[in-house]
């Protein structure tokens, strides 16, 4: 057990139980979504979300540095992921015509089709695991609470 100090606000039993439930949820939900996408679409969770993010952009294009930021990945990790997707023909990389210092990731037609085929099963799984087990008010509250936590992470300077 860590050494107790006067400045550390240790979790009480109720807080610790809630935290452990949240941590377990994060791990189990990510794993369940990962397994469904791998099984049904041959895509990892991060590959799927990278394709989704590109699909939402004009011309299905985003600078690699921006894609890394919005997908919460290091540029190095994203580069490896993009290389795999490129090898499958789901996206391509090109030098940014407006500024040659940057590289753009571009969703291909094949990538868009793969995403369109994967999305219904993924959404059904999300609905089954999360959406349908909560009332509309519980879902709104969970969304607000999640936004508040993400905002704290974003403003902490450590992510």
């Amino acid at each position: 057990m860590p050494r107790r100090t006067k400045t550390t606000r240790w979790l009480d039993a109720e807080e610790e139980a809630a935290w452990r439930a949240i941590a377990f949820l994060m791990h189990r939900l990510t794993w369940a979504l990962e397994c469904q996408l791998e099984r049904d679409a041959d895509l990892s969770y991060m590959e799927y979300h990278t394709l989704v993010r590109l699909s939402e952009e004009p011309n299905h294009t985003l600078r690699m540095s921006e894609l890394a930021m919005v997908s919460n990945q290091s540029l190095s990790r994203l580069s490896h992921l993009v290389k795999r997707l490129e090898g499958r023909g789901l996206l391509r990389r090109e030098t940014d015509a407006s500024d040659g210092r940057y590289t753009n990731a571009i969703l291909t037609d094949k990538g868009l089709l793969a995403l369109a085929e994967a999305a219904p099963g993924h959404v059904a799984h999300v609905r089954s695991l999360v959406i349908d087990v909560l009332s509309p008010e519980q879902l709104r509250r969970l969304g607000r609470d999640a936004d508040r936590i993400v905002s704290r992470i974003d403003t902490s300077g450590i992510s």
Side-chain angles (χ1 to χ4, degrees):
M1 180 172 201
R3 198 182 97 215
R4 294 181 181 265
T5 65
K6 291 181 180 182
T7 59
T8 301
R9 290 184 51 220
W10 296 102
L11 305 180
D12 64 29
E14 188 174 333
E15 291 167 335
E16 185 172 346
W19 166 243
R20 286 179 184 241
I22 292 166
F24 192 60
L25 165 67
M26 290 186 306
H27 292 290
R28 288 296 300 264
L29 182 58
T30 301
W31 178 250
L33 296 173
E34 178 85 34
C35 289
Q36 180 274 320
L37 284 165
E38 288 277 353
R39 181 188 65 238
D40 296 345
D42 195 29
L43 290 168
S44 74
Y45 185 71
M46 289 309 298
E47 289 170 341
Y48 177 83
H49 284 284
T50 299
L51 297 178
V52 166
R53 194 61 186 86
L54 286 170
S55 77
E56 297 169 339
E57 291 297 320
N59 302 316
H60 302 151
T61 301
L62 198 58
R63 284 182 175 167
M64 289 285 289
S65 54
E66 292 176 43
L67 185 56
M69 187 179 68
V70 298
S71 62
N72 198 34
Q73 299 181 73
S74 69
L75 198 48
S76 173
R77 179 171 282 196
L78 176 65
S79 186
H80 290 291
L81 182 144
V82 165
K83 186 176 182 180
R84 287 193 312 270
L85 293 172
E86 234 179 346
R88 294 171 59 189
L90 303 179
L91 61 77
R92 69 181 188 279
R93 285 183 274 195
E94 291 180 2
T95 301
D96 188 324
S98 66
D99 189 336
R101 296 174 298 169
Y102 296 99
T103 300
N104 289 329
I106 304 160
L107 184 64
T108 64
D109 290 342
K110 183 177 179 182
L112 195 56
L113 180 61
L115 182 59
E117 290 173 351
H122 180 66
V123 169
H125 202 51
V126 166
R127 178 170 289 290
S128 135
L129 295 177
V130 179
I131 307 302
D132 292 344
V133 299
L134 300 171
S135 71
E137 179 52 35
Q138 289 170 323
L139 188 59
R140 278 190 294 276
R141 189 171 42 240
L142 180 60
R144 285 191 306 265
D145 293 344
D147 285 345
R148 198 165 44 251
I149 293 168
V150 169
S151 177
R152 176 61 66 96
I153 294 167
D154 290 345
T155 60
S156 74
I158 303 171
S159 12

